[in-house]
Amino acid sequence: MFKRENKMLIALPVPEHGDPNAAAAVQELLGGKFGEMSTLNNYMYQSFNFRRKDKLKPFYDLVASITAEEFGHVELVSNTINLLSKGNTFYTGNPDVTPLREGKDSRNTLHFIATAQTALAADSMGRPWNGDNVFSSGNLVLDLLHNFFLEVGARTHKMRVYELTEHETAREMIGYLLVRGGTHVLAYAKALEIATGVDVKKMVPIPDLSNRKFDHARKFEDQGLGNILYTWNDVGDYADIRQIWKGTNPESGDRLTVKEGAPKGAPIPNLEELPEEFAPGIDRDDYEKIAKRLMENL
């Protein structure tokens, strides 16, 4: 089972105005083939379906702990899309003035029509994410190899979306995930080396560009976040990842460390109401009635 905390992995800059086309591009990092919904569900089903956890526990612990982190990545990218949708429409109380006019010529009109300017379970073209993106073969080496490829593909797409938009909120999120995704690339490379004897680490980084080239990734590298794997558990259930995540980072030479539990996290942004989208559709009188009913029979 999973334990949830009402925090995000990092604080995101809250913009005065978003960018609907940047929000559309960032959707690829959420619901695309190499997006966070794919990494989450690949690792989640592999962890559910894992055979011989007793004999191969370090590998199970690795996949299971990264699964938990990927939930946080889905949350972070979704909130980025939500913030990129801030201030893109206006409210006058008169629907005839076309308050959602910005959506007509934006890349993804679904943001304006389907979700009241929030994240979609879809890619940058509005195609829904689906389970065909999940690979869970039952063969340990094949699954680890797939996961390495999946993380490298995700890294490539993050770099490209970073170069698509200058928006600070998008770049802050991407900078962080470049570092954490790079950690997962290395983790699966090390797991493959232990399982097969092949030094997959010699292939990284793919693409051949250091995270330090990106202004919004450099500070997270300086914090050492590229050298840490979290267990996402407080009682030692996944501590055997130490048998895989050990030694030094081949790029920086820094020592690799495992930390019990999860990162400290940051507050989740509060989304203001959008009356022009009828969201959440609760006015002042409704709030008062709801508050009264909530207080009854306490």
Side-chain angles (χ1 to χ4, degrees):
M1 60 183 178
F2 297 92
K3 179 181 178 181
R4 181 163 183 167
E5 293 189 35
N6 190 32
K7 293 180 180 178
M8 281 198 314
L9 290 165
I10 59 168
L12 290 172
V14 178
E16 182 177 352
H17 293 288
D19 181 338
N21 288 332
V26 172
Q27 277 288 160
E28 191 66 29
L29 306 184
L30 179 63
K33 183 176 180 179
F34 294 97
E36 301 300 336
M37 291 183 67
S38 289
T39 52
L40 165 64
N41 282 283
N42 271 269
Y43 310 155
M44 183 168 64
Y45 278 95
Q46 288 175 18
S47 68
F48 292 163
N49 301 339
F50 201 100
R51 296 183 183 274
R52 296 312 305 257
K53 298 180 183 71
D54 53 346
K55 289 192 173 183
L56 297 166
K57 187 173 181 294
F59 299 99
Y60 166 71
D61 285 4
L62 180 70
V63 175
S65 60
I66 294 178
T67 296
E69 180 166 0
E70 295 296 345
F71 271 102
H73 290 187
V74 170
E75 181 178 50
L76 186 65
V77 178
S78 296
N79 275 276
T80 300
I81 293 166
N82 296 345
L83 291 175
L84 289 170
S85 301
K86 185 175 184 288
N88 294 337
T89 57
F90 60 91
Y91 179 68
T92 65
N94 179 3
D96 288 327
V97 301
T98 323
L100 303 183
R101 66 182 65 174
E102 183 73 21
K104 180 172 65 70
D105 296 319
S106 294
R107 278 260 294 101
N108 196 331
T109 56
L110 273 177
H111 279 153
F112 296 83
I113 297 171
T115 61
Q117 299 177 65
T118 53
L120 292 156
D123 66 12
S124 58
M125 300 302 292
R127 292 178 294 236
W129 187 89
N130 69 74
D132 288 342
N133 293 324
V134 171
F135 185 91
S136 180
S137 73
N139 181 284
L140 176 61
V141 173
L142 184 56
D143 283 348
L144 291 174
L145 188 61
H146 168 81
N147 296 352
F148 176 80
F149 169 73
L150 180 60
E151 289 287 353
V152 169
R155 170 179 165 81
T156 305
H157 283 195
K158 289 181 180 73
M159 289 179 168
R160 289 171 177 169
V161 175
Y162 188 102
E163 293 183 339
L164 278 173
T165 175
E166 297 178 349
H167 201 286
E168 285 292 308
T169 304
R171 285 192 163 186
E172 185 78 357
M173 175 273 294
I174 296 171
Y176 175 80
L177 290 186
L178 279 174
V179 176
R180 292 307 299 160
T183 305
H184 296 168
V185 169
L186 179 58
Y188 286 124
K190 290 177 72 65
L192 281 163
E193 183 177 8
I194 292 172
T196 67
V198 177
D199 190 358
V200 185
K201 302 191 306 300
K202 291 181 178 179
M203 298 177 65
V204 297
I206 306 171
D208 188 15
L209 187 66
S210 168
N211 288 336
R212 302 194 67 84
K213 291 286 187 179
F214 299 84
D215 285 345
H216 290 72
R218 195 176 305 119
K219 66 179 179 182
F220 296 116
E221 288 281 2
D222 291 341
Q223 293 170 20
L225 293 181
N227 307 311
I228 300 169
L229 274 185
Y230 298 93
T231 63
W232 301 89
N233 177 267
D234 298 325
V235 294
D237 286 345
Y238 302 104
D240 285 348
I241 59 173
R242 287 186 172 88
Q243 296 179 41
I244 296 173
W245 193 250
K246 59 187 177 181
T248 58
N249 188 312
E251 287 190 67
S252 66
D254 295 331
R255 183 152 298 278
L256 303 177
T257 60
V258 173
K259 287 193 176 182
E260 293 285 339
K264 182 178 179 181
I268 295 175
N270 184 43
L271 292 183
E272 298 295 333
E273 63 184 2
L274 277 183
E276 65 270 28
E277 293 269 22
F278 326 110
I282 305 295
D283 61 22
R284 183 182 297 275
D285 289 340
D286 292 327
Y287 279 121
E288 292 176 357
K289 292 174 183 176
I290 291 170
K292 183 178 179 180
R293 288 193 287 266
L294 287 171
M295 296 304 294
E296 290 175 354
N297 301 321
L298 285 180

